[in-house]
Coordinates of all heavy atoms in Angstrom, one line a residue:
V228 N -48.8 -20.0 -42.5 CA -48.2 -19.7 -43.8 C -47.2 -18.6 -43.5 O -47.5 -17.6 -42.8 CB -49.3 -19.3 -44.8 CG1 -48.7 -19.0 -46.1 CG2 -50.4 -20.3 -44.9
G229 N -46.0 -18.7 -44.2 CA -44.9 -17.8 -43.8 C -44.9 -16.4 -44.4 O -44.4 -15.5 -43.9
S230 N -45.4 -16.2 -45.6 CA -45.4 -15.0 -46.3 C -46.8 -14.6 -46.8 O -47.7 -15.4 -46.9 CB -44.5 -15.1 -47.5 OG -44.6 -14.0 -48.4
S231 N -47.0 -13.3 -47.0 CA -48.3 -12.9 -47.4 C -48.7 -13.4 -48.8 O -49.9 -13.5 -49.1 CB -48.4 -11.3 -47.4 OG -47.5 -10.8 -48.4
S232 N -47.8 -13.8 -49.6 CA -48.1 -14.4 -50.9 C -48.2 -16.0 -50.8 O -48.6 -16.6 -51.8 CB -47.0 -14.0 -51.9 OG -45.8 -14.6 -51.5
D233 N -47.9 -16.6 -49.6 CA -48.1 -18.0 -49.5 C -49.6 -18.2 -49.3 O -50.3 -17.4 -48.7 CB -47.4 -18.5 -48.2 CG -45.9 -18.4 -48.3 OD1 -45.4 -18.0 -49.4 OD2 -45.2 -18.6 -47.3
M234 N -50.0 -19.4 -49.8 CA -51.5 -19.7 -49.7 C -51.7 -21.2 -49.7 O -50.9 -22.0 -50.3 CB -52.3 -19.0 -50.8 CG -52.0 -19.7 -52.2 SD -52.6 -18.7 -53.5 CE -51.3 -17.4 -53.6
Y235 N -52.8 -21.6 -49.1 CA -53.2 -23.0 -49.2 C -54.3 -23.1 -50.3 O -55.1 -22.2 -50.5 CB -53.9 -23.4 -47.9 CG -52.9 -23.7 -46.8 CD1 -52.6 -22.8 -45.8 CD2 -52.1 -24.9 -46.8 CE1 -51.7 -23.0 -44.8 CE2 -51.1 -25.1 -45.9 CZ -50.9 -24.2 -44.9 OH -50.0 -24.4 -43.9
I236 N -54.1 -24.2 -51.1 CA -55.1 -24.5 -52.1 C -55.6 -25.9 -51.9 O -54.9 -26.7 -51.2 CB -54.5 -24.3 -53.5 CG1 -53.3 -25.2 -53.7 CG2 -54.1 -22.9 -53.8 CD1 -52.7 -25.3 -55.1
T237 N -56.7 -26.2 -52.5 CA -57.2 -27.6 -52.4 C -57.3 -28.1 -53.8 O -57.9 -27.5 -54.7 CB -58.6 -27.6 -51.7 OG1 -58.5 -27.0 -50.5 CG2 -59.1 -29.1 -51.6
A238 N -56.6 -29.2 -54.0 CA -56.5 -29.8 -55.4 C -56.2 -31.3 -55.4 O -56.0 -31.8 -54.3 CB -55.4 -29.0 -56.1
G239 N -56.0 -31.9 -56.5 CA -55.6 -33.3 -56.6 C -55.5 -33.8 -58.0 O -55.8 -33.0 -59.0
T240 N -54.9 -35.0 -58.1 CA -54.8 -35.7 -59.4 C -55.6 -36.9 -59.4 O -55.4 -37.8 -60.3 CB -53.3 -36.1 -59.6 OG1 -52.9 -37.0 -58.6 CG2 -52.4 -34.9 -59.5
G241 N -56.5 -37.1 -58.5 CA -57.3 -38.3 -58.4 C -56.4 -39.5 -58.0 O -56.8 -40.7 -58.2
G242 N -55.3 -39.2 -57.3 CA -54.4 -40.3 -56.8 C -53.5 -40.9 -57.8 O -52.9 -41.9 -57.5
K243 N -53.5 -40.4 -59.0 CA -52.7 -40.9 -60.1 C -51.6 -39.9 -60.4 O -51.7 -38.7 -60.3 CB -53.6 -41.1 -61.4 CG -54.6 -42.2 -61.2 CD -55.4 -42.3 -62.5 CE -56.4 -43.5 -62.4 NZ -57.5 -43.4 -61.7
S244 N -50.5 -40.4 -60.9 CA -49.3 -39.6 -61.3 C -49.7 -38.7 -62.5 O -50.2 -39.2 -63.5 CB -48.1 -40.5 -61.6 OG -47.0 -39.7 -61.9
S245 N -49.4 -37.4 -62.3 CA -49.7 -36.5 -63.4 C -48.9 -35.2 -63.2 O -48.4 -34.9 -62.1 CB -51.2 -36.1 -63.3 OG -51.5 -35.1 -64.3
T246 N -48.7 -34.5 -64.3 CA -48.0 -33.2 -64.2 C -49.1 -32.0 -64.1 O -48.7 -30.9 -64.1 CB -47.2 -32.9 -65.5 OG1 -48.0 -33.0 -66.6 CG2 -46.0 -33.8 -65.6
T247 N -50.3 -32.4 -64.0 CA -51.4 -31.4 -63.7 C -52.2 -31.7 -62.5 O -52.4 -32.9 -62.2 CB -52.3 -31.2 -64.9 OG1 -53.0 -32.5 -65.1 CG2 -51.6 -30.8 -66.1
I248 N -52.5 -30.7 -61.7 CA -53.5 -30.9 -60.6 C -54.7 -30.1 -60.9 O -54.6 -29.0 -61.6 CB -52.9 -30.4 -59.3 CG1 -52.4 -29.0 -59.3 CG2 -51.8 -31.4 -58.8 CD1 -51.9 -28.4 -57.9
T249 N -55.9 -30.5 -60.4 CA -57.1 -29.8 -60.6 C -57.5 -29.2 -59.3 O -57.7 -29.9 -58.3 CB -58.2 -30.8 -61.2 OG1 -57.7 -31.4 -62.4 CG2 -59.5 -30.0 -61.4
L250 N -57.7 -27.8 -59.4 CA -58.2 -27.1 -58.2 C -59.6 -27.4 -57.9 O -60.4 -27.5 -58.9 CB -58.0 -25.6 -58.4 CG -56.5 -25.1 -58.7 CD1 -56.6 -23.7 -59.1 CD2 -55.7 -25.3 -57.5
T251 N -60.0 -27.4 -56.6 CA -61.5 -27.5 -56.3 C -62.1 -26.2 -56.5 O -63.3 -26.1 -56.7 CB -61.7 -28.0 -54.9 OG1 -61.0 -27.2 -54.0 CG2 -61.2 -29.5 -54.8
K252 N -61.3 -25.1 -56.5 CA -61.8 -23.7 -56.6 C -60.7 -22.9 -57.3 O -59.6 -22.9 -56.8 CB -62.2 -23.1 -55.3 CG -62.8 -21.8 -55.3 CD -63.1 -21.3 -53.9 CE -63.5 -19.8 -53.9 NZ -63.7 -19.3 -52.5
N253 N -61.0 -22.1 -58.3 CA -60.0 -21.2 -58.9 C -59.5 -20.3 -57.9 O -60.2 -19.9 -57.0 CB -60.6 -20.4 -60.1 CG -61.0 -21.3 -61.3 OD1 -60.7 -22.5 -61.3 ND2 -61.6 -20.7 -62.3
N254 N -58.2 -19.9 -58.1 CA -57.5 -19.0 -57.1 C -56.7 -18.0 -58.0 O -55.7 -18.4 -58.5 CB -56.6 -19.8 -56.2 CG -56.0 -18.9 -55.1 OD1 -55.7 -17.8 -55.4 ND2 -55.9 -19.4 -53.9
D255 N -57.2 -16.8 -58.0 CA -56.5 -15.8 -58.9 C -55.2 -15.3 -58.3 O -54.5 -14.5 -58.9 CB -57.4 -14.7 -59.3 CG -57.9 -13.9 -58.1 OD1 -57.6 -14.2 -56.9 OD2 -58.7 -12.9 -58.3
R256 N -54.8 -15.7 -57.1 CA -53.5 -15.3 -56.5 C -52.4 -16.3 -56.9 O -51.2 -16.0 -56.6 CB -53.7 -15.3 -55.0 CG -54.6 -14.1 -54.5 CD -54.8 -14.1 -53.0 NE -53.5 -14.1 -52.3 CZ -53.3 -14.8 -51.2 NH1 -54.2 -15.5 -50.6 NH2 -52.1 -14.8 -50.6
L257 N -52.7 -17.5 -57.4 CA -51.7 -18.4 -57.8 C -50.9 -17.8 -59.0 O -51.5 -17.1 -59.9 CB -52.3 -19.7 -58.3 CG -52.7 -20.7 -57.3 CD1 -53.3 -22.0 -58.0 CD2 -51.5 -21.1 -56.4
R258 N -49.6 -18.0 -59.0 CA -48.8 -17.5 -60.1 C -47.8 -18.6 -60.6 O -47.4 -19.4 -59.8 CB -47.9 -16.3 -59.6 CG -48.7 -15.1 -59.1 CD -49.3 -14.4 -60.3 NE -50.1 -13.2 -59.9 CZ -51.4 -13.2 -59.9 NH1 -52.1 -14.2 -60.2 NH2 -52.1 -12.1 -59.5
E259 N -47.5 -18.5 -61.9 CA -46.4 -19.4 -62.4 C -45.1 -19.1 -61.7 O -44.9 -17.9 -61.3 CB -46.3 -19.1 -63.9 CG -47.5 -19.5 -64.7 CD -47.3 -19.2 -66.2 OE1 -46.2 -18.8 -66.7 OE2 -48.3 -19.4 -66.9
G260 N -44.4 -20.1 -61.4 CA -43.1 -20.0 -60.7 C -43.2 -20.3 -59.2 O -42.2 -20.4 -58.5
M261 N -44.5 -20.3 -58.7 CA -44.7 -20.7 -57.2 C -44.3 -22.1 -57.0 O -44.6 -23.0 -57.9 CB -46.1 -20.4 -56.8 CG -46.5 -18.9 -56.8 SD -48.1 -18.6 -56.2 CE -47.8 -18.3 -54.5
F262 N -43.8 -22.5 -55.9 CA -43.6 -23.8 -55.5 C -44.9 -24.4 -54.9 O -45.7 -23.7 -54.4 CB -42.5 -23.9 -54.4 CG -41.1 -23.6 -54.9 CD1 -40.6 -22.3 -54.6 CD2 -40.4 -24.5 -55.7 CE1 -39.3 -22.0 -55.1 CE2 -39.1 -24.1 -56.2 CZ -38.6 -22.9 -55.8
I263 N -45.0 -25.7 -55.0 CA -46.1 -26.5 -54.4 C -45.6 -27.6 -53.5 O -44.7 -28.3 -53.9 CB -47.0 -27.1 -55.5 CG1 -47.6 -26.1 -56.5 CG2 -48.0 -28.1 -55.0 CD1 -48.8 -25.3 -55.8
C264 N -46.2 -27.7 -52.3 CA -45.8 -28.8 -51.4 C -47.0 -29.3 -50.6 O -48.0 -28.5 -50.5 CB -44.7 -28.4 -50.5 SG -45.1 -27.3 -49.2
D265 N -46.9 -30.4 -50.0 CA -47.9 -31.0 -49.1 C -47.3 -31.0 -47.8 O -46.5 -31.9 -47.5 CB -48.3 -32.4 -49.6 CG -49.4 -33.0 -48.7 OD1 -49.7 -32.4 -47.6 OD2 -49.9 -34.1 -49.0
K266 N -47.6 -30.0 -46.9 CA -47.0 -29.9 -45.6 C -47.3 -31.1 -44.7 O -46.5 -31.4 -43.8 CB -47.5 -28.6 -44.9 CG -46.9 -27.4 -45.5 CD -47.3 -26.2 -44.7 CE -46.7 -26.2 -43.4 NZ -46.8 -24.9 -42.6
F267 N -48.3 -31.8 -45.0 CA -48.7 -33.0 -44.2 C -48.1 -34.3 -44.7 O -48.3 -35.3 -44.1 CB -50.2 -33.0 -44.0 CG -50.7 -31.7 -43.5 CD1 -51.4 -30.8 -44.3 CD2 -50.6 -31.4 -42.1 CE1 -51.8 -29.6 -43.8 CE2 -51.1 -30.3 -41.6 CZ -51.7 -29.3 -42.4
G268 N -47.5 -34.2 -45.9 CA -46.7 -35.4 -46.4 C -47.5 -36.5 -46.9 O -47.0 -37.6 -47.0
N269 N -48.8 -36.3 -47.2 CA -49.6 -37.4 -47.7 C -49.6 -37.6 -49.2 O -50.1 -38.6 -49.7 CB -51.1 -37.2 -47.3 CG -51.2 -37.2 -45.8 OD1 -50.6 -37.9 -45.1 ND2 -52.1 -36.3 -45.3
S270 N -48.9 -36.7 -49.9 CA -48.8 -36.8 -51.4 C -47.4 -37.0 -51.8 O -46.4 -36.8 -51.1 CB -49.3 -35.4 -51.9 OG -50.6 -35.1 -51.5
V271 N -47.2 -37.4 -53.1 CA -45.9 -37.5 -53.7 C -45.7 -36.3 -54.6 O -46.2 -36.2 -55.7 CB -45.8 -38.8 -54.5 CG1 -44.4 -38.9 -55.2 CG2 -46.1 -40.0 -53.7
I272 N -44.9 -35.3 -54.0 CA -44.6 -34.1 -54.7 C -43.0 -33.9 -54.6 O -42.5 -33.7 -53.5 CB -45.3 -32.9 -54.2 CG1 -46.8 -33.1 -54.2 CG2 -44.9 -31.6 -54.9 CD1 -47.6 -32.0 -53.6
P273 N -42.3 -34.1 -55.7 CA -40.9 -33.9 -55.7 C -40.5 -32.5 -55.2 O -41.1 -31.5 -55.4 CB -40.4 -34.1 -57.1 CG -41.5 -35.0 -57.7 CD -42.7 -34.5 -57.1
H274 N -39.3 -32.5 -54.4 CA -38.8 -31.3 -53.9 C -38.6 -30.3 -55.1 O -38.2 -30.6 -56.2 CB -37.4 -31.6 -53.3 CG -36.7 -30.4 -52.6 ND1 -37.3 -29.8 -51.5 CD2 -35.6 -29.8 -52.9 CE1 -36.5 -28.8 -51.2 NE2 -35.4 -28.8 -52.0
L275 N -38.9 -29.0 -54.8 CA -38.8 -27.9 -55.8 C -39.7 -28.0 -57.0 O -39.4 -27.4 -58.0 CB -37.3 -27.7 -56.2 CG -36.3 -27.5 -55.1 CD1 -34.9 -27.4 -55.7 CD2 -36.6 -26.2 -54.4
T276 N -40.9 -28.6 -56.8 CA -41.9 -28.6 -57.9 C -42.5 -27.3 -57.9 O -43.0 -26.7 -56.9 CB -42.9 -29.7 -57.6 OG1 -42.3 -31.0 -57.6 CG2 -44.1 -29.7 -58.6
K277 N -42.6 -26.7 -59.2 CA -43.1 -25.4 -59.4 C -44.3 -25.4 -60.3 O -44.5 -26.3 -61.2 CB -42.1 -24.5 -60.1 CG -41.0 -24.0 -59.2 CD -40.1 -23.0 -59.9 CE -39.1 -22.4 -59.0 NZ -38.4 -21.3 -59.6
I278 N -45.1 -24.4 -60.2 CA -46.2 -24.1 -61.2 C -45.6 -23.6 -62.5 O -44.9 -22.6 -62.5 CB -47.2 -23.1 -60.6 CG1 -47.9 -23.7 -59.4 CG2 -48.3 -22.8 -61.7 CD1 -48.8 -22.7 -58.7
T279 N -45.9 -24.3 -63.6 CA -45.4 -23.8 -64.9 C -46.5 -23.2 -65.8 O -46.2 -22.4 -66.7 CB -44.8 -24.9 -65.7 OG1 -45.7 -26.0 -65.9 CG2 -43.5 -25.5 -64.9
R280 N -47.8 -23.5 -65.4 CA -48.9 -22.9 -66.2 C -50.2 -23.0 -65.4 O -50.4 -24.0 -64.7 CB -49.1 -23.7 -67.5 CG -50.2 -23.1 -68.4 CD -50.1 -23.8 -69.8 NE -51.0 -23.0 -70.7 CZ -52.0 -23.6 -71.4 NH1 -52.2 -24.9 -71.3 NH2 -52.7 -22.9 -72.2
I281 N -51.1 -22.0 -65.6 CA -52.4 -22.0 -64.9 C -53.4 -21.8 -66.0 O -53.4 -20.8 -66.7 CB -52.5 -21.0 -63.8 CG1 -51.3 -21.2 -62.8 CG2 -53.8 -21.0 -63.1 CD1 -51.1 -20.0 -61.9
Q282 N -54.4 -22.7 -66.1 CA -55.5 -22.5 -67.1 C -56.8 -22.9 -66.4 O -57.1 -24.0 -66.1 CB -55.3 -23.4 -68.3 CG -56.4 -23.3 -69.3 CD -56.3 -22.0 -70.1 OE1 -55.2 -21.5 -70.4 NE2 -57.4 -21.4 -70.3
D283 N -57.5 -21.8 -66.0 CA -58.8 -22.0 -65.2 C -58.5 -22.8 -63.9 O -57.7 -22.3 -63.1 CB -59.8 -22.7 -66.0 CG -60.2 -21.8 -67.3 OD1 -60.3 -20.6 -67.1 OD2 -60.4 -22.4 -68.4
D284 N -59.0 -24.0 -63.8 CA -58.8 -24.8 -62.5 C -57.7 -25.9 -62.7 O -57.6 -26.7 -61.8 CB -60.1 -25.4 -62.1 CG -60.7 -26.4 -63.0 OD1 -60.3 -26.5 -64.2 OD2 -61.6 -27.2 -62.6
V285 N -57.0 -25.8 -63.8 CA -56.0 -26.8 -64.1 C -54.6 -26.1 -64.0 O -54.3 -25.2 -64.6 CB -56.1 -27.5 -65.5 CG1 -55.0 -28.5 -65.7 CG2 -57.5 -28.2 -65.6
V286 N -53.8 -26.7 -63.1 CA -52.4 -26.2 -62.8 C -51.4 -27.2 -63.3 O -51.4 -28.3 -62.9 CB -52.2 -25.9 -61.3 CG1 -50.8 -25.4 -61.0 CG2 -53.3 -24.9 -60.8
T287 N -50.5 -26.7 -64.2 CA -49.5 -27.6 -64.7 C -48.2 -27.4 -63.9 O -47.9 -26.3 -63.5 CB -49.1 -27.3 -66.2 OG1 -50.4 -27.4 -67.0 CG2 -48.1 -28.2 -66.8
L288 N -47.5 -28.5 -63.5 CA -46.4 -28.5 -62.7 C -45.1 -28.9 -63.4 O -45.2 -29.6 -64.4 CB -46.6 -29.4 -61.4 CG -47.9 -29.0 -60.6 CD1 -48.1 -30.1 -59.6 CD2 -47.8 -27.7 -60.0
S289 N -44.0 -28.6 -62.8 CA -42.7 -28.9 -63.4 C -42.3 -30.4 -63.2 O -41.4 -30.9 -63.9 CB -41.6 -28.1 -62.8 OG -41.5 -28.2 -61.4
N290 N -43.0 -31.1 -62.3 CA -42.7 -32.5 -62.1 C -44.1 -33.3 -62.0 O -45.1 -32.7 -61.7 CB -42.0 -32.7 -60.8 CG -40.6 -32.2 -60.7 OD1 -39.8 -32.5 -61.6 ND2 -40.4 -31.2 -59.8
S291 N -44.0 -34.6 -62.2 CA -45.2 -35.4 -62.0 C -45.4 -35.6 -60.5 O -44.5 -35.7 -59.7 CB -45.0 -36.8 -62.6 OG -45.0 -36.8 -64.0
V292 N -46.7 -35.5 -60.1 CA -47.1 -35.6 -58.7 C -48.2 -36.6 -58.5 O -48.9 -36.9 -59.5 CB -47.5 -34.2 -58.1 CG1 -46.3 -33.2 -58.2 CG2 -48.7 -33.7 -58.8
T293 N -48.4 -37.1 -57.4 CA -49.5 -38.0 -57.1 C -50.2 -37.4 -55.8 O -49.6 -37.4 -54.7 CB -49.1 -39.4 -56.8 OG1 -48.3 -39.9 -57.9 CG2 -50.3 -40.3 -56.6
V294 N -51.4 -36.9 -56.0 CA -52.1 -36.2 -54.9 C -53.6 -36.6 -55.0 O -54.3 -36.6 -56.0 CB -52.1 -34.7 -55.2 CG1 -52.8 -33.9 -54.1 CG2 -50.7 -34.2 -55.3
E295 N -54.1 -37.1 -53.8 CA -55.5 -37.5 -53.7 C -56.3 -36.2 -53.9 O -55.9 -35.1 -53.6 CB -55.8 -38.1 -52.4 CG -55.2 -39.5 -52.2 CD -55.7 -40.5 -53.2 OE1 -56.9 -40.4 -53.6 OE2 -55.0 -41.4 -53.5
D296 N -57.5 -36.3 -54.5 CA -58.4 -35.2 -54.7 C -58.7 -34.6 -53.4 O -58.8 -35.3 -52.3 CB -59.7 -35.6 -55.4 CG -59.4 -35.8 -56.9 OD1 -58.4 -35.4 -57.5 OD2 -60.3 -36.5 -57.6
N297 N -59.0 -33.3 -53.4 CA -59.4 -32.5 -52.2 C -58.3 -32.5 -51.1 O -58.5 -32.4 -49.9 CB -60.7 -33.0 -51.6 CG -61.8 -32.9 -52.6 OD1 -62.0 -31.8 -53.1 ND2 -62.5 -34.0 -52.8
T298 N -57.0 -32.5 -51.6 CA -55.9 -32.4 -50.6 C -55.5 -30.9 -50.5 O -55.4 -30.2 -51.4 CB -54.7 -33.2 -51.2 OG1 -55.0 -34.6 -51.3 CG2 -53.4 -33.0 -50.3
R299 N -55.2 -30.5 -49.2 CA -54.8 -29.2 -49.0 C -53.3 -29.1 -49.2 O -52.5 -29.7 -48.6 CB -55.1 -28.8 -47.5 CG -54.9 -27.4 -47.2 CD -55.4 -27.1 -45.8 NE -55.3 -25.7 -45.5 CZ -55.1 -25.2 -44.3 NH1 -54.9 -25.9 -43.3 NH2 -55.1 -23.9 -44.2
L300 N -52.9 -28.2 -50.2 CA -51.5 -28.0 -50.5 C -51.1 -26.6 -50.3 O -51.9 -25.7 -50.2 CB -51.3 -28.3 -52.0 CG -51.7 -29.7 -52.5 CD1 -51.7 -29.8 -54.0 CD2 -50.9 -30.8 -51.9
L301 N -49.8 -26.4 -50.1 CA -49.2 -25.0 -49.9 C -48.6 -24.6 -51.2 O -47.7 -25.3 -51.8 CB -48.2 -25.0 -48.8 CG -47.5 -23.7 -48.5 CD1 -48.5 -22.7 -48.0 CD2 -46.4 -23.9 -47.4
A302 N -48.9 -23.4 -51.6 CA -48.3 -22.7 -52.8 C -47.5 -21.5 -52.2 O -48.1 -20.8 -51.4 CB -49.3 -22.3 -53.8
F303 N -46.2 -21.4 -52.6 CA -45.4 -20.3 -52.0 C -44.4 -19.9 -53.0 O -43.9 -20.6 -53.9 CB -44.8 -20.8 -50.7 CG -43.8 -21.9 -50.8 CD1 -42.5 -21.8 -50.9 CD2 -44.3 -23.2 -50.9 CE1 -41.6 -22.8 -51.0 CE2 -43.5 -24.3 -51.0 CZ -42.1 -24.1 -51.1
N304 N -43.9 -18.6 -52.8 CA -42.9 -18.0 -53.7 C -41.5 -18.4 -53.1 O -41.4 -18.6 -51.9 CB -43.0 -16.5 -53.7 CG -44.2 -16.1 -54.6 OD1 -44.3 -16.5 -55.7 ND2 -45.1 -15.2 -54.1
D305 N -40.5 -18.4 -54.0 CA -39.2 -18.6 -53.5 C -38.7 -17.2 -53.0 O -38.5 -16.3 -53.7 CB -38.3 -19.0 -54.7 CG -36.9 -19.3 -54.3 OD1 -36.5 -19.1 -53.2 OD2 -36.1 -19.8 -55.2
N306 N -38.5 -17.2 -51.7 CA -38.0 -16.0 -51.0 C -36.5 -15.9 -50.9 O -35.9 -15.2 -50.1 CB -38.7 -15.8 -49.7 CG -38.3 -16.9 -48.7 OD1 -37.5 -17.8 -49.0 ND2 -38.9 -16.9 -47.6
G307 N -35.8 -16.8 -51.6 CA -34.4 -16.9 -51.6 C -33.8 -17.9 -50.6 O -32.6 -18.1 -50.5
S308 N -34.7 -18.4 -49.7 CA -34.3 -19.4 -48.7 C -34.7 -20.8 -49.1 O -34.4 -21.7 -48.3 CB -34.8 -19.0 -47.4 OG -36.2 -19.1 -47.3
T309 N -35.3 -21.0 -50.2 CA -35.7 -22.4 -50.6 C -34.4 -23.2 -50.8 O -33.5 -22.8 -51.5 CB -36.5 -22.3 -51.9 OG1 -37.6 -21.5 -51.7 CG2 -37.0 -23.7 -52.3
T310 N -34.4 -24.4 -50.2 CA -33.2 -25.2 -50.2 C -33.1 -26.1 -51.4 O -34.1 -26.8 -51.7 CB -33.1 -26.0 -48.9 OG1 -33.2 -25.1 -47.8 CG2 -31.9 -26.8 -48.8
R311 N -32.0 -26.2 -52.0 CA -31.8 -27.1 -53.1 C -31.1 -28.3 -52.5 O -30.1 -28.2 -51.8 CB -30.9 -26.5 -54.2 CG -31.4 -25.2 -54.7 CD -31.5 -25.1 -56.2 NE -31.9 -23.8 -56.7 CZ -33.2 -23.4 -56.7 NH1 -34.1 -24.1 -56.3 NH2 -33.4 -22.2 -57.3
R312 N -31.6 -29.5 -52.9 CA -30.9 -30.7 -52.4 C -30.1 -31.4 -53.4 O -30.4 -31.4 -54.6 CB -32.0 -31.8 -51.9 CG -32.7 -31.3 -50.7 CD -33.5 -32.5 -50.2 NE -34.9 -32.3 -50.4 CZ -35.8 -33.2 -50.1 NH1 -35.5 -34.3 -49.6 NH2 -37.1 -32.9 -50.3

């Protein structure tokens, strides 16, 4: 993980397209505005998808994603080097 605020989380959508993911464990370090990605590429997460809301173990995202349950995802802050395509 590249920055001290970067973190891995485990979450999923049950393999269905959704704008929310469900965490397997709450994480109080997650913040709105953080980006979410699947470094291993097994999920469908559009480029530059961000956290827009956190309510207990449910995280709302800026785009619809498809993630199998119990998938390890990376949450990270924009350090100014995030690339726009």
Side-chain angles (χ1 to χ4, degrees):
V228 182
S230 166
S231 63
S232 62
D233 296 353
M234 70 194 76
Y235 285 102
I236 59 172
T237 305
T240 65
K243 296 180 170 74
S244 181
S245 178
T246 57
T247 61
I248 57 174
T249 302
L250 302 170
T251 56
K252 180 181 174 185
N253 289 358
N254 186 322
D255 61 1
R256 292 179 49 220
L257 278 181
R258 297 286 179 257
E259 291 178 8
M261 293 180 96
F262 291 104
I263 295 288
C264 73
D265 180 355
K266 287 184 69 171
F267 303 102
N269 299 323
S270 303
V271 177
I272 302 176
H274 184 63
L275 300 177
T276 296
K277 285 187 173 187
I278 296 173
T279 59
R280 183 168 190 237
I281 303 166
Q282 181 70 41
D283 300 319
D284 64 345
V285 177
V286 177
T287 303
L288 303 173
S289 59
N290 295 302
S291 291
V292 301
T293 304
V294 181
E295 291 297 328
D296 286 342
N297 300 308
T298 297
R299 190 174 187 212
L300 303 172
L301 177 64
F303 60 98
N304 286 309
D305 184 354
N306 63 4
S308 66
T309 304
T310 305
R311 308 231 186 278
R312 292 194 250 178

